[in-house]
């Protein structure tokens, strides 16, 4: 079996054990369990080392009071257990221990239970260590309540040694004399309860992990929805401060676009078809806004508004808006050709100071205000079909890098007579080669 087949087999095995978790959540859960087990094993080893040190010091103290009570062989056994636990702690921090904490757990458990059994065997009989066994099994279940098969293996290993050694030595009668049936039944149910406790805890952790994964998934969905409504910086500020958000920007560029004759076209076509077409067009504009690093503000009917230079300031916001306008013209021409529809756009651009912020307490919207915005809207509404109409301020900023045609002074509602220009292209620009698939 090659490595890929082996990994696939293991993944299927885990999926059977944890059917409620998706493959990605299962991977995260197993990583969490490994980390949790290592943290708790660290604590268990430290407690074991300190505990055995206290036993040794107590025996030494009692031996200093009554020298005849000190058993040198027991002291050697206790020191061997202490050294074994210390070795497990060192192994725990090694590369092997980080990859296989379950084996370190077995080493920790058997350091206490089996070394004592080996010591007793050396003295002639492996006695049932009721106090050491139950204390170790209870401590394991309380401190490291995951992977119950490892707990079961640690218990079976001790009992297998106990019965196996005494059978080999022919000491079944002495064994039976030390423990009656009630004590064996007590040990059996003690182990069952410990393992059941570990199993139930891990099931609870799996359920909590699944709930947290679902909660995280919903949070991510909510986050994406919020970012579809508000710019990322504004959304973050709104979540943290819960107050009215309004900022002055000394310079920004605003673009308004409107599909010419869309209302008339929609009256002669099924509503579903026109909504689908509008969605395709505006989805392409969204893609272009993202590509140029601009912020879409809103759509109203068949009108589209985008801004450059906020909420994150940039010095080339006007150039980005101009490139966006030219790409929008190209996209709508491609769309018209592919759908055999006479779509055209009026686009208006202006640059200058604006006020931006979030209004309302429900259905938040990030919007712009100011004379710059109003004038950009007038550039679109007073423009020509298929043209990109801009103000004098835009022309002065871009005239050395872009091509323009002057329309002279024309009357603008609410503004009087204004000199306006039509943006026709970029100087020294290469011919367009983008395919029709640009419109998504």
């Amino acid at each position: 079996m090659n490595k890929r087949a082996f990994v696939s087999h293991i993944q299927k095995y885990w999926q059977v054990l944890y059917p409620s978790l998706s493959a990605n959540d299962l991977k995260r859960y197993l990583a969490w369990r490994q980390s949790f087990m290592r943290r708790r094993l660290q604590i268990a080893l430290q407690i074991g080392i300190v505990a055995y040190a206290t036993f040794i010091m107590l025996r030494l103290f009692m031996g200093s009071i009554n020298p005849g009570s000190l058993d040198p062989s027991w002291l050697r056994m206790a020191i061997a257990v202490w050294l074994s636990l210390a070795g497990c702690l060192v192994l725990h921090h090694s590369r092997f221990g980080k990859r296989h904490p379950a084996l370190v757990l077995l080493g920790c458990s058997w350091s206490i239970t089996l070394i004592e059994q080996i010591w007793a065997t050396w003295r002639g009989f492996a006695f049932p260590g009721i106090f050491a066994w139950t204390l170790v099994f209870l401590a394991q279940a309380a401190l490291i309540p995951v992977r119950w098969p490892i707990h079961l293996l640690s218990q079976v290993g001790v009992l297998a040694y106990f019965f196996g050694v005494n059978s080999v030595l022919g000491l079944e009668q002495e064994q039976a004399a030390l423990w009656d049936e009630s004590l064996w039944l007590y040990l059996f149910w003690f182990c069952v309860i410990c393992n059941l406790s570990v199993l139930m805890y891990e099931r609870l952790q799996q359920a909590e992990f699944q709930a947290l994964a679902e909660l995280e998934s919903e949070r991510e969905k909510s986050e994406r929805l919020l970012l579809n409504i508000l710019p990322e910086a504004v959304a973050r500020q709104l979540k943290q401060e819960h107050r009215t958000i309004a900022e002055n920007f000394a310079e920004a560029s605003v673009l308004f676009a409107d599909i010419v004759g869309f209302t008339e076209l929609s009256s002669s076509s099924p509503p579903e078809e026109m909504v689908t077409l509008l969605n395709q067009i505006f989805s392409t504009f969204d893609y272009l806004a993202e590509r140029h690093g601009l912020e879409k503000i809103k759509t109203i009917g068949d009108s589209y508004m985008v801004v450059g230079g906020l909420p994150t300031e940039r010095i080339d916001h006007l150039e980005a808006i101009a490139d966006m306008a030219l790409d929008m013209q190209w996209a709508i021409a491609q769309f018209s050709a592919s759908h055999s529809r006479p779509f055209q756009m009026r686009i208006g651009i202006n640059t200058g100071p604006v006020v931006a912020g979030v209004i309302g307490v429900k259905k938040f919207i990030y919007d712009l205000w100011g004379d710059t915005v109003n004038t950009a809207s007038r550039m679109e509404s007073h423009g020509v079909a298929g043209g990109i109409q801009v103000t004098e301020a835009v022309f002065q900023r871009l005239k050395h890098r872009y091509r323009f045609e002057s329309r002279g002074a024309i009357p603008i509602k609410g503004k009087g007579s204004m000199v306006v220009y039509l943006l026709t292209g970029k100087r020294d620009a290469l011919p367009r080669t983008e395919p029709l698939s640009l419109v998504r």
Side-chain angles (χ1 to χ4, degrees):
M1 182 183 296
N2 58 36
K3 182 178 180 181
R4 181 174 297 179
F6 176 76
V7 171
S8 176
H9 179 75
I10 292 297
Q11 289 175 342
K12 290 179 181 178
Y13 168 75
W14 286 118
Q15 204 65 50
V16 170
L17 289 181
Y18 307 102
S20 62
L21 296 175
S22 66
N24 187 48
D25 289 340
L26 175 59
K27 183 178 179 181
R28 293 168 57 194
Y29 170 74
L30 293 177
W32 169 86
R33 190 180 68 174
Q34 188 87 337
S35 175
F36 173 83
M37 189 173 185
R38 293 198 72 253
R39 292 196 305 271
R40 291 299 186 89
L41 186 56
Q42 169 91 8
I43 297 173
L45 285 166
Q46 291 171 343
I47 291 175
I49 290 171
V50 173
Y52 251 85
T54 61
F55 289 133
I56 294 172
M57 288 188 292
L58 177 62
R59 287 297 183 93
L60 290 174
F61 174 75
M62 297 304 296
S64 65
I65 297 175
N66 182 12
S69 66
L70 183 63
D71 183 353
S73 66
W74 181 93
L75 186 61
R76 287 193 294 270
M77 181 275 296
I79 293 174
V81 172
W82 189 91
L83 291 174
S84 180
L85 289 174
C88 287
L89 183 60
V90 173
L91 183 63
H92 174 69
H93 292 289
S94 68
R95 180 178 299 179
F96 176 85
K98 292 177 182 178
R99 295 185 61 182
H100 305 287
L103 297 182
V104 179
L105 171 58
L106 287 175
C108 173
S109 178
W110 288 340
S111 292
I112 300 174
T113 56
L114 285 184
I115 289 179
E116 186 179 39
Q117 289 294 296
I118 295 171
W119 168 73
T121 302
W122 188 263
R123 293 165 64 92
F125 175 60
F127 62 86
I130 178 65
F131 296 114
W133 293 357
T134 53
L135 182 60
V136 170
F137 298 156
L138 179 61
Q140 289 177 188
L143 294 174
I144 314 172
V146 291
R147 301 189 68 174
W148 69 268
I150 304 299
H151 293 260
L152 178 60
L153 182 59
S154 70
Q155 298 158 8
V156 170
V158 174
L159 293 173
Y161 180 90
F162 174 78
F163 287 109
V165 168
N166 287 331
S167 297
V168 170
L169 297 178
L171 301 175
E172 290 86 351
Q173 297 298 323
E174 291 85 346
Q175 169 185 306
L178 285 175
W179 261 23
D180 60 22
E181 292 78 3
S182 62
L183 287 176
W184 286 116
L185 187 61
Y186 162 77
L187 181 62
F188 168 78
W189 281 112
F190 188 91
C191 292
V192 168
I193 292 172
C194 285
N195 293 334
L196 184 61
S197 175
V198 173
L199 175 63
M200 293 178 66
Y201 179 86
E202 189 160 12
R203 289 289 175 86
L204 177 62
Q205 288 301 312
Q206 292 169 27
E208 291 183 354
F209 195 89
Q210 176 69 15
L212 289 174
E214 293 175 357
L215 183 63
E216 179 67 16
S217 177
E218 292 301 317
R219 190 196 67 78
E220 290 177 357
K221 290 179 183 178
S222 300
E223 187 76 13
R224 288 195 297 269
L225 288 173
L226 185 61
L227 292 178
N228 281 334
I229 299 171
L230 302 173
E232 182 177 358
V234 175
R236 190 184 312 113
Q237 187 178 0
L238 187 66
K239 288 189 295 183
Q240 292 175 350
E241 301 186 17
H242 303 287
R243 63 173 178 79
T244 302
I245 296 175
E247 294 181 274
N248 286 304
F249 291 89
E251 193 174 75
S253 297
V254 184
L255 179 152
F256 281 91
D258 180 76
I259 302 175
V260 179
F262 187 83
T263 303
E264 291 76 9
L265 288 172
S266 62
S267 63
S268 60
S269 302
E272 295 82 0
E273 180 184 350
M274 297 312 297
V275 170
T276 299
L277 289 174
L278 192 62
N279 179 64
Q280 291 176 348
I281 294 172
F282 282 178
S283 294
T284 297
F285 293 169
D286 289 346
Y287 161 73
L288 291 174
E290 183 177 358
R291 189 173 77 174
H292 289 292
L294 302 172
E295 194 67 48
K296 172 189 174 182
I297 300 300
K298 59 185 174 182
T299 60
I300 302 177
D302 59 344
S303 298
Y304 192 92
M305 179 182 179
V306 67
V307 64
L310 59 85
T312 303
E313 297 182 7
R314 54 184 291 187
I315 60 175
D316 62 339
H317 56 84
L318 185 53
E319 289 82 354
I321 282 286
D323 292 339
M324 168 85 175
L326 294 170
D327 283 346
M328 291 171 74
Q329 272 193 335
W330 173 251
I332 201 68
Q334 297 288 85
F335 189 85
S336 297
S338 63
H339 290 76
S340 300
R341 297 287 187 121
F343 287 123
Q344 285 186 306
M345 298 202 71
R346 282 194 306 265
I347 300 176
I349 301 175
N350 189 28
T351 188
V354 300
V355 175
V358 177
I359 58 174
V361 294
K362 292 183 178 180
K363 298 181 179 179
F364 295 117
I365 182 172
Y366 185 70
D367 212 345
L368 307 180
W369 300 273
D371 183 66
T372 298
V373 180
N374 295 335
T375 302
S377 178
R378 294 289 187 267
M379 289 297 101
E380 178 270 312
S381 61
H382 291 70
V384 296
I388 304 171
Q389 186 161 272
V390 304
T391 60
E392 177 77 21
V394 174
F395 169 74
Q396 292 297 333
R397 285 273 300 271
L398 299 181
K399 62 183 179 180
H400 299 297
R401 285 163 288 177
Y402 294 81
R403 298 191 302 272
F404 293 89
E405 291 180 5
S406 175
R407 291 192 67 197
I410 64 171
I412 301 295
K413 182 180 178 180
K415 302 294 293 183
S417 181
M418 292 184 65
V419 176
V420 297
Y421 299 83
L422 294 178
L423 172 64
T424 59
K426 199 170 186 178
R427 295 184 185 276
D428 303 324
L430 297 175
R432 293 277 189 174
T433 59
E434 294 156 312
L436 292 174
S437 59
L438 174 66
V439 181
R440 298 185 171 186

